[in-house]
């Protein structure tokens, strides 16, 4: 709302400068977008302050509305529009009654509870300079005396008006009704529009002449030849105007005011003001009374305000005198009662509906700066946070300690990227119904597309080693899950002068996944995986292992997939702008599922063994297609029967080549034996190693080297 | 030892000779004796030149003095450099300790996480519990329950992104949009708990906005909510003041500028005194002395009514702050897109 200060001063005799007024209202709920000083370039001090008016204050889309705020802020009287001869905002004295010139019928009282009209005889010309300048300063283009008067009244008191050329209204009649099926209208902007039966129109005897509260029709537009006009000043219900405006895609000055809520009691006032202006600039004179059709009188809202509630909510006791002064100055009628006040809110304050609304008014003008900073009393200890929060912090710690940096990408991606990552058993991606850009038209089903793009960005900027991770939401038709993904390209070890740098490989990425699952106490297994977006043979799914101790009640079944790890298919890398030859290893885990698979580990520590352990290394030759996990299983099964307890197994070498037949591999296994209650004898150890070797020979045809 | 007469040439020659002798020294003791021969208090080269100054004719005093000083400073500088770098005879197997070590790889938290962690930490100290909510929401939790019924103009204030097909948890739990604010989680929490309530809700929110220098269609927010008996606007001011002083500067001040949000009444914008100029006005605060931080207010009774609370018995406050906004201010980031490009040159500037 562009407020012209000279216009404002017609309603409140404020001496303060425009800057001061802007700063003062700025602290009372009216944000200042800009100030234009000295708009007349003559040093008269006239200025424009452009205020941003919040959605709850349609009354302040007018000079009068803002004048009330200024008057309250500066504790000055407001000079309301009046019929007094000396009034600056003068009203014409015009009775209400029926007109011999125009018949008005209110056919839809729900969408239009009040419709006022008046006829005038006019000679249309150009507005005087002062009026044109004022409109221009307020941001409205002057057109002709009649149109300018309706705009002037709208800006001054906030009531949108319309003027019809009476000669063009068939039957000299106005019907406020809903559009008929198939009815059309050509609006003032020259567009031919189809109306729908729930849209309110202003019609003459034969057809729609305006879309109520939105825009007038071209057929009855006021022109230079017009000699008789019908002024319209009506109240249309906000929801109806809003629906119509939205459906037609037609937003106007009038529609935005009606949508937010005009004053349901200002219809006659606006006509009185328009007629007075008409007389003042000698462009016409009224013919007959105001035809004022009211389905019901606007009922002012009665609200009770308790002194104690005011003090409780604000945390400060506002003196009674201040409360009364503020509310009265804002236009409320206030009567003191035993515990506070009975107040009647004026019809233009559509936002004042309940006690708390009055508390805000009192607080706002009393000044939030008078609040002492206090701290809310705690009556109970704070409960534990959402379990995901410490869990995610742990995940973040593990991954940053592994040298990965955290990325944040968007929850939506482009469909093209999403399609590249579609799994063999596809989960339908969810599209955004109204995306602003094709780059953000699909909710991400996985964190990988976004993360791979982030890797590509870094590669494009010359970065060779990129290790990133992200924790975030993924979306599927049956719900939202939280996941963590990693992407790793470049060196598997840090560059150092002491040795050649090793390239990242599958086991780097797998190691990170294992570390994460280990820290979160989730036993997992890795199974070969074929997915179109991963390199076959270099990909695995991560599944929940048979738990070794009690798991959470609703934990995933053993074998349930928790995530995946593998090398990104070169075609996918290429499609996302990564160099095709760059191996990029990725992994993604479902953190929600991981959370439920956590094994409730005991907090109690294990005693340290008092007897020494013994290590025996075993080198065997086995078929190279035999998974290490199966060999480990055989060793463990055999180890359960041995005299010396087997406490650990590790693979420390894997060799193919000279001395090993083709299709076979030499594996070196380190076996650790230890008993809690005694020192193991050589005989026990030897017998145990023999038992394990025998099992390997029996099960896998292993040969000792 | 015969000492040449002071001159620019003899200074240079003596310095060179000193360096040669020092380089030939086998032990620390040898080096020390070389030093003493040049810099010792008595009978050294420098000492003898100093004596020459005293005995020189008046017109030569100045020049001789200058040469003597030049020699002294040059020899001292070389001695300092030698004694700092020269090891005692290197032991067998010695390494060059100035070669770079093997620095373990260490990743960095994202700046938005760093800010979020810091915000959480401050509010947890004040007795707030951190909770999180879903990003895909339904209309009721995102709007209706927050006093924004359909056809309410306020619903236009935030351009919402809708889903083409709903995310379906059950027949009566369908998520049809991306939340425009974390306030939807206020509603979920109020429904599931009883006062007293004191929570902070960090999370990602979405708007139908283009990505440019200052806007993003997705960003982080942190929301606070306290509900109980007798909770007041002054309590909100105290809470936010404590936060500002811990997050920004011990001298920070808070200003409430009345505003409008459908789900709070009274509502206010939170202004923070500029910590660069302490309110005097500078480029960062656009000469106003204040920086807008977010919105806040007292929970609207309609919100309590929507979740079945006794709006007479309980009052509450709520506030919301943009995480990017805090990060932009704190780290003086010029372009919001830097947060989402994940350029390691940017990420590595933030703490582990
Ligand atoms: Zn500043």
């Amino acid at each position: 709302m562009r407020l012209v200060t000279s216009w404002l001063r017609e309603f409140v005799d404020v001496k303060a400068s425009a800057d001061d007024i802007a700063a003062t209202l700025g602290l009372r709920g009216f944000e200042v977008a800009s100030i234009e000083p000295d708009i007349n370039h003559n040093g008269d001090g006239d200025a424009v302050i452009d205020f941003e008016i919040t959605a709850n204050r349609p009354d302040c889309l007018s000079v009068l509305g803002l004048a009330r705020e200024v008057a309250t802020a500066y504790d000055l009287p407001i000079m309301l529009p009046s019929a007094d001869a000396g009034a600056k905002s003068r009203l014409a004295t015009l009775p209400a009654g029926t007109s011999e010139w125009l018949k008005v019928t209110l056919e839809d009282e729900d969408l239009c509870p009040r419709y006022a009209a008046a006829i005038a005889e006019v000679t249309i010309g150009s507005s005087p300079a002062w009026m044109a300048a004022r409109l221009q300063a307020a941001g409205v283009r002057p057109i002709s005396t009649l149109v300018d008067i309706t705009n002037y009244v709208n800006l001054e008191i906030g009531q949108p008006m319309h003027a019809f050329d009476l000669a063009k209204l068939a039957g000299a009649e106005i019907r406020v009704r809903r559009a008929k099926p198939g009815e059309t209208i050509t609006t003032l902007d020259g567009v031919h529009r189809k109306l729908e039966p729930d849209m309110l129109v202003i019609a003459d005897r034969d057809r729609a002449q305006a879309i109520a509260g939105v825009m007038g029709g071209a057929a009855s537009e006021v022109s230079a030849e017009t000699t008789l006009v019908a002024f319209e000043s009506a109240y249309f219900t906000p929801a109806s105007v809003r629906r119509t405006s939205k459906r037609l895609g037609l937003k106007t000055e009038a529609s935005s005011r009606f949508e937010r809520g005009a004053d349901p009691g200002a219809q006659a006032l606006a006509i009185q003001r328009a007629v007075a202006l008409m007389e003042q600039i000698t462009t016409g004179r009224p013919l007959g009374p105001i035809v004022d059709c009211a389905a019901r009188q606007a009922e002012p809202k009665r609200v009770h305000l308790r002194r104690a509630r005011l003090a409780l909510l604000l945390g400060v006791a506002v003196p009674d005198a201040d409360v009364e002064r503020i509310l009265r100055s804002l236009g409320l009628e206030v009567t003191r009662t035993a515990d506070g006040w009975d107040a009647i809110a004026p019809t233009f304050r559509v936002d004042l509906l309940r006690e708390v609304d009055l508390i805000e008014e009192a607080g706002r003008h009393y000044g939030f700066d008078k609040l002492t900073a206090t701290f809310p009393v705690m009556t109970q200890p704070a409960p534990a946070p959402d379990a995901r929060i410490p869990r995610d912090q742990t995940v973040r710690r593990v991954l940053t300690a592994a040298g990965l940096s955290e990325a944040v990408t968007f929850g939506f991606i482009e469909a093209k990227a999403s399609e590249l990552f579609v799994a063999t058993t596809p989960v339908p991606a969810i599209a955004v119904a109204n995306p602003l850009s094709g780059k953000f038209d699909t909710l991400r089903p996985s964190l990988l597309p976004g993360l791979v793009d982030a890797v590509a960005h870094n590669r494009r900027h010359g970065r060779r080693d990129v290790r990133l991770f992200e924790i975030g939401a993924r979306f599927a038709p049956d719900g939202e899950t939280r996941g963590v993904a990693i992407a790793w390209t470049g060196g598997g070890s840090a560059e150092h002068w002491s040795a050649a740098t090793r390239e990242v490989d599958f086991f780097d990425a797998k190691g990170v996944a294992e570390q994460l699952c280990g820290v979160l106490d989730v036993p997992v297994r890795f199974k070969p995986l074929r997915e179109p977006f991963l390199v076959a043979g270099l990909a695995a799914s991560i599944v929940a292992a048979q738990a070794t101790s009690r798991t959470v009640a609703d934990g995933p079944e053993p074998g349930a997939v928790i995530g995946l790890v593998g090398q990104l298919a070169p075609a996918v890398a290429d499609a996302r702008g990564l160099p095709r030859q760059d191996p990029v290893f990725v992994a993604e885990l479902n953190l929600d599922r991981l959370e439920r698979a956590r094994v409730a580990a005991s907090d109690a520590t294990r005693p340290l063994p008092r007897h020494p352990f013994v290590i025996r290394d075993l080198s065997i030759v086995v078929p190279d297609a035999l998974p290490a996990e199966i060999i480990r299983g055989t060793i463990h099964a055999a180890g359960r029967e041995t005299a010396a307890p087997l406490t650990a197994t590790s693979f420390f070498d894997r060799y193919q080549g000279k001395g090993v037949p083709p299709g076979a591999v030499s594996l070196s296994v380190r076996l650790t034996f230890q008993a809690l209650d005694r020192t193991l004898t050589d005989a026990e150890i030897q017998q145990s190693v023999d038992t394990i070797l025998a099992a390997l020979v029996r099960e896998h045809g292993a040969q000792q080297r | 030892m015969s000492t040449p007469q002071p001159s620019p040439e003899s200074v240079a020659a003596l310095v060179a000779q000193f360096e040669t002798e020092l380089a030939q020294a086998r032990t620390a003791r040898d080096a020390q004796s070389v030093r003493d021969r040049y810099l010792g208090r008595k009978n050294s080269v420098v000492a003898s030149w100093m004596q020459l100054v005293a005995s020189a004719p008046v017109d030569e005093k100045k020049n001789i003095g200058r040469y003597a000083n030049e020699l002294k400073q040059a020899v001292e500088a070389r001695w300092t450099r030698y004694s700092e770098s020269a090891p005692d005879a290197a032991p067998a197997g010695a390494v060059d300790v100035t070669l770079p070590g093997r620095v373990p790889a260490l990743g960095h938290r994202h700046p938005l996480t760093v800010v979020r962690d810091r915000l959480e930490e401050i509010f947890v100290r004040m007795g707030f519990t951190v909770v999180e909510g879903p990003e895909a929401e339904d209309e009721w939790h995102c709007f209706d329950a927050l006093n924004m019924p359909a056809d309410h103009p306020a619903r236009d204030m935030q351009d919402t992104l809708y889903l083409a097909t709903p995310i379906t948890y059950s027949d009566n739990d369908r998520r049809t949009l991306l939340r425009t604010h974390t306030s939807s989680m206020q509603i979920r929490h109020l429904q599931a708990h009883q006062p007293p309530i004191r929570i902070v809700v960090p999370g990602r929110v979405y708007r139908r906005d283009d990505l440019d220098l200052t806007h993003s269609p997705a960003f982080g927010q942190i929301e606070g909510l306290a509900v109980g008996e007798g909770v007041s606007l002054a309590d909100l001011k105290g809470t936010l003041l404590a936060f500002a002083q811990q997050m920004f500067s011990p001298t920070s001040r808070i200003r409430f500028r009345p505003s409008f949000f459908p789900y709070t009444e009274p509502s206010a914008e939170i202004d923070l005194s500029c910590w660069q100029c302490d309110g005097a006005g500078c480029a960062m605060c656009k000469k106003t002395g204040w920086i807008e931080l977010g919105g806040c207010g007292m929970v609207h009774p309609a919100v309590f009514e929507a979740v079945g609370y006794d709006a007479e018995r309980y009052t509450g406050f709520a506030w919301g702050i943009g995480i990017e906004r805090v990060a932009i201010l704190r780290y003086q980031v010029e372009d919001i897109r830097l947060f989402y490009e994940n350029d390691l040159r940017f990420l590595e500037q933030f703490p582990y």
Side-chain angles (χ1 to χ4, degrees):
Chain A
M1 169 74 195
R2 293 171 58 87
L3 177 69
V4 183
T5 55
S6 59
W7 203 342
L8 167 77
R9 291 184 220 271
E10 291 183 3
F11 293 90
V12 54
D13 189 17
V14 59
K15 302 280 186 258
S17 67
D19 284 343
D20 192 83
I21 294 169
T24 304
L25 286 206
L27 287 178
R28 282 170 166 78
F30 302 91
E31 202 164 322
V32 177
S34 65
I35 303 176
E36 292 163 32
D38 192 28
I39 49 171
N40 302 324
H41 311 287
N42 62 4
D44 65 357
D46 202 6
V48 170
I49 312 170
D50 192 359
F51 287 107
E52 283 168 16
I53 307 297
T54 53
N56 61 328
R57 291 303 300 276
D59 64 300
C60 285
L61 293 167
S62 68
V63 179
L64 181 56
L66 286 169
R68 282 200 184 83
E69 291 290 333
V70 172
T72 309
Y74 287 91
D75 194 12
L76 293 166
I78 182 104
M79 297 174 282
L80 294 174
S82 116
D84 295 350
K88 284 193 178 136
S89 173
R90 213 178 57 77
L91 301 178
T93 320
L94 217 57
T98 51
S99 170
E100 56 186 290
W101 298 90
L102 182 73
K103 185 179 155 210
V104 179
T105 325
L106 205 51
E107 292 181 14
D108 197 310
E109 299 177 345
D110 290 333
L111 304 190
C112 177
R114 190 160 181 191
Y115 193 96
I119 305 303
E121 184 178 21
V122 295
T123 313
I124 291 172
S126 298
S127 298
W130 67 266
M131 183 181 268
R134 215 164 240 194
L135 288 172
Q136 220 139 23
V140 176
R141 195 165 53 90
I143 294 166
S144 69
T145 43
L146 251 286
V147 177
D148 292 353
I149 285 172
T150 58
N151 286 334
Y152 192 94
V153 172
N154 184 20
L155 287 167
E156 185 173 276
I157 63 174
Q159 169 64 45
M161 292 184 76
H162 184 64
F164 295 99
D165 186 331
L166 182 62
K168 292 173 185 159
L169 294 182
E173 142 168 45
I174 275 179
R175 288 180 175 179
V176 184
R177 60 162 169 83
R178 291 186 193 224
K180 292 173 181 159
E183 194 166 12
T184 59
I185 185 173
T186 302
T187 40
L188 284 175
D189 54 2
V191 180
H192 190 70
R193 299 174 191 274
K194 265 201 196 114
L195 302 170
E196 284 168 51
D198 62 347
M199 294 177 177
L200 191 73
V201 298
I202 311 303
D204 58 13
R205 187 190 61 206
D206 303 333
R207 60 196 172 114
Q209 291 289 2
I211 304 169
V214 181
M215 195 179 262
S220 53
E221 184 179 3
V222 169
S223 69
E225 289 75 44
T226 303
T227 54
L228 291 173
V229 297
F231 281 115
E232 166 194 290
S233 173
Y235 178 79
F236 302 112
T237 50
S240 155
V241 174
R242 184 181 156 80
R243 257 198 320 274
T244 303
S245 155
K246 224 176 171 176
R247 198 96 55 79
L248 294 173
L250 181 60
K251 217 170 170 63
T252 61
E253 175 72 22
S255 75
S256 63
R257 283 167 187 262
F258 282 120
E259 269 181 33
R260 294 189 189 192
D263 178 358
Q267 284 65 42
L269 178 84
I271 289 182
Q272 286 163 345
R273 181 66 182 132
V275 168
L277 282 168
M278 196 171 64
E279 289 169 337
Q280 187 185 340
I281 67 169
T282 62
T283 194
R285 62 182 187 92
L287 295 176
I290 298 177
V291 185
D292 194 352
C293 302
R296 48 186 184 271
Q297 281 298 327
E299 196 62 36
K301 194 88 189 165
R302 285 165 196 282
V303 184
H304 184 62
L305 171 62
R306 291 162 298 169
R307 189 180 288 110
R309 189 71 179 173
L310 177 78
L312 182 147
L313 205 69
L314 295 181
V316 64
V318 183
D320 283 5
D322 285 313
V323 174
E324 289 163 17
R325 180 187 63 78
I326 290 164
L327 295 182
R328 285 192 181 123
S329 180
L330 290 172
L332 288 90
E333 280 176 47
V334 180
T335 325
R336 200 181 284 203
T337 66
D339 66 345
W341 302 270
D342 278 329
I344 301 174
T347 52
F348 55 82
R349 287 302 302 270
V350 293
D351 60 320
L352 301 183
L353 301 171
R354 52 200 295 174
E355 186 179 36
V356 67
D357 300 322
L358 302 193
I359 293 175
E360 177 169 67
E361 293 309 284
R364 180 167 76 83
H365 275 290
Y366 179 64
F368 288 160
D369 56 325
K370 296 199 182 74
L371 299 179
T372 320
T374 53
F375 194 73
V377 175
M378 266 190 97
T379 54
Q380 278 181 18
D386 188 324
R388 290 177 294 183
I389 287 159
R391 192 266 326 269
D392 289 354
Q393 279 168 352
T394 302
V395 170
R396 214 171 261 124
R397 263 206 312 276
V398 168
L399 296 177
T400 48
L404 293 102
S405 285
E406 187 181 15
V408 170
T409 68
F410 289 131
F412 28 52
I413 54 179
E414 54 181 339
K416 212 165 67 187
S418 175
E419 284 152 13
L420 288 171
F421 289 83
V422 167
T424 317
T425 42
V427 177
I430 294 165
V432 176
N434 57 337
L436 207 50
S437 144
K439 286 189 84 72
F440 307 129
D441 62 1
T442 305
L443 295 198
R444 62 180 175 198
S446 149
L447 297 167
L448 292 178
L451 208 53
V452 166
D453 283 0
V455 173
H457 169 92
N458 280 286
R459 289 292 289 119
R460 268 200 303 279
H461 288 82
R463 185 75 173 223
R464 199 187 79 94
D465 296 341
V466 184
R467 302 182 199 181
L468 290 171
F469 76 95
E470 181 172 12
I471 299 172
R474 295 109 35 99
F475 305 88
D478 63 346
E480 185 181 324
T481 55
R482 186 168 301 177
V484 58
I486 71 164
W488 188 339
T489 187
S493 57
E495 196 169 274
H496 195 250
W497 53 268
S498 60
T501 308
R502 184 176 59 74
E503 289 297 304
V504 61
D505 66 20
F506 176 83
F507 296 100
D508 288 312
K510 180 182 171 178
V512 173
E514 284 176 305
Q515 174 92 303
L516 206 53
C517 295
V519 168
L520 293 175
D521 297 317
V522 179
V524 289
R525 293 175 47 218
F526 292 77
K527 287 164 61 174
L529 173 70
R530 268 177 195 274
E531 285 293 6
F533 58 93
L534 296 175
V535 174
L538 288 174
S541 59
I542 306 170
V543 302
Q546 182 74 52
T548 46
S549 63
R550 188 177 54 86
T551 49
V552 185
D554 65 341
E557 293 293 305
V561 176
I562 283 174
L564 55 81
V565 54
Q567 186 186 340
L568 193 66
V572 175
D574 188 49
R576 298 316 293 171
L578 274 160
R580 214 184 156 83
Q581 71 281 2
D582 272 22
V584 180
F585 285 89
V586 295
E588 184 168 25
L589 291 116
N590 180 330
L591 283 172
D592 294 339
R593 213 171 269 177
L594 207 58
E595 179 70 36
R596 291 198 302 276
R598 289 174 86 158
V599 171
S602 165
D603 284 342
T605 53
R606 286 185 305 275
L608 301 183
R610 281 182 293 147
H611 302 279
F613 60 84
V614 178
I615 283 176
R616 285 288 185 273
D617 290 345
L618 199 58
S619 281
I620 52 169
V621 175
V622 289
D624 66 357
L626 187 63
E629 191 181 67
I630 292 183
I631 298 169
R632 183 195 290 272
T634 303
I635 294 171
H636 278 180
R640 275 196 283 276
E641 324 270 289
T642 53
L646 177 70
T647 54
T649 317
S650 67
F651 294 102
F652 68 94
D653 191 32
R654 190 173 193 279
Y655 171 75
Q656 276 178 299
K658 197 160 169 271
V660 178
V665 62
S666 162
L667 275 182
S668 299
V669 190
R670 180 156 294 163
L671 305 172
T672 308
F673 298 97
Q674 188 169 33
L676 288 176
D677 57 345
R678 66 187 193 285
T679 300
L680 297 171
T681 65
D682 283 350
E684 275 179 306
I685 306 273
Q686 194 51 52
Q687 188 235 324
S688 302
V689 173
D690 290 346
T691 306
I692 289 166
L693 186 61
L696 290 169
V697 170
R698 188 174 63 244
E699 299 290 328
H700 311 303
Q703 287 181 304
Q704 191 176 8
R705 280 187 89 210
Chain B
M1 185 167 54
S2 73
T3 306
Q5 283 301 301
S7 74
E9 296 73 32
S10 58
V11 168
L14 282 168
V15 169
Q17 195 185 331
F18 174 71
E19 286 198 306
T20 311
E21 287 179 33
L22 211 50
Q24 287 163 355
R26 286 298 185 97
T27 64
R29 181 180 294 193
D30 288 353
Q32 185 65 35
S33 82
V34 172
R35 182 217 166 256
D36 291 347
R37 260 185 290 122
Y38 283 80
L39 286 170
R41 207 176 301 175
K42 282 181 185 159
N43 302 325
S44 70
V45 178
V46 169
S48 67
W49 279 26
M50 289 299 177
Q51 278 169 5
L52 284 177
V53 179
S55 59
V58 178
D59 57 340
E60 284 178 31
K61 256 192 201 322
K62 202 176 151 195
N63 268 340
I64 295 176
R66 202 176 76 217
Y67 300 139
N69 264 324
E70 276 175 15
L71 178 69
K72 182 169 184 251
Q73 281 169 14
V75 172
E76 273 176 349
R78 275 156 186 80
W79 172 250
T80 307
R81 199 164 62 203
Y82 173 86
S83 51
E84 277 174 1
S85 64
D88 285 337
V95 296
D96 177 354
V97 298
T98 65
L99 274 172
R102 277 183 208 98
V103 180
L106 195 58
H108 297 255
R109 278 179 299 162
H110 195 279
L112 298 176
T113 301
V114 175
V115 167
R116 187 190 137 159
D117 286 353
R118 182 96 183 93
L119 286 160
E120 286 180 11
E121 180 193 315
I122 292 169
F123 283 102
V124 164
R125 268 204 295 279
M126 290 193 244
F128 286 77
T129 295
V130 188
V131 298
E132 292 184 280
E135 294 176 12
E137 265 296 358
D138 55 52
E139 304 242 3
W140 192 82
H141 285 92
C142 199
F143 298 123
D144 298 66
L146 287 160
N147 197 28
M148 281 184 274
D151 270 342
H152 192 284
R155 219 139 140 163
D156 274 353
M157 282 164 52
Q158 301 167 341
D159 266 326
T160 310
L161 287 165
Y162 289 91
L163 310 186
T165 47
I167 292 179
T168 309
Y169 285 89
S170 70
D171 282 348
N172 42 26
D173 187 358
R174 289 173 205 277
R175 314 285 167 85
T176 54
L177 52 84
L178 291 169
R179 65 178 174 189
T180 56
H181 46 201
T182 41
S183 310
S184 47
M185 186 55 199
Q186 272 188 26
I187 301 299
R188 291 189 180 276
H189 193 86
L190 288 169
Q191 285 181 304
H193 298 80
Q194 280 301 308
I197 283 170
R198 217 178 265 211
I199 55 167
V200 284
V201 191
R204 311 281 300 160
V205 303
Y206 299 83
R207 301 274 168 90
R208 196 162 180 271
D209 235 335
D210 274 321
L211 181 63
D212 62 25
L213 205 68
T214 52
H215 297 87
S216 167
F219 55 94
Q221 229 181 26
I222 186 160
E223 177 112 355
L225 173 72
V227 176
E229 291 181 20
V231 176
S232 74
L233 191 63
D235 290 340
L236 172 57
K237 196 173 182 182
T239 304
L240 290 173
L241 180 65
F243 152 72
Q245 294 183 342
Q246 293 181 41
M247 183 81 199
F248 295 98
S249 153
T251 58
S252 283
R253 281 158 289 127
I254 282 287
R255 181 175 80 174
F256 281 175
R257 200 155 30 79
S259 188
F260 167 70
F261 307 108
Y263 34 91
T264 49
E265 186 90 12
S267 302
E269 302 285 351
I270 309 160
D271 285 346
L272 168 74
S273 59
C274 177
W275 67 91
Q276 295 247 306
C277 63
D278 203 23
C282 68
M284 189 163 94
C285 58
K286 299 191 185 88
K287 309 256 176 236
T288 63
W290 296 95
I291 288 171
E292 193 176 314
L293 209 55
C296 69
M298 299 302 293
V299 178
H300 198 289
V303 173
F304 284 142
E305 285 153 13
V307 294
Y309 277 37
D310 180 350
E312 183 58 30
R313 180 171 169 200
Y314 298 115
T315 55
F317 63 65
W319 49 264
I321 292 173
I323 293 178
E324 275 81 346
R325 173 113 187 108
V326 175
I328 282 169
L329 293 170
R330 188 78 270 188
Y331 302 124
Q332 296 171 35
V333 177
E334 308 253 303
D335 184 344
I336 198 170
R337 290 172 293 200
L338 280 168
F339 292 120
Y340 318 113
E341 272 175 359
N342 301 299
D343 193 310
L344 284 163
R345 294 168 300 177
F346 177 68
L347 298 180
E348 284 168 356
Q349 297 180 44
F350 297 94
Y352 155 62

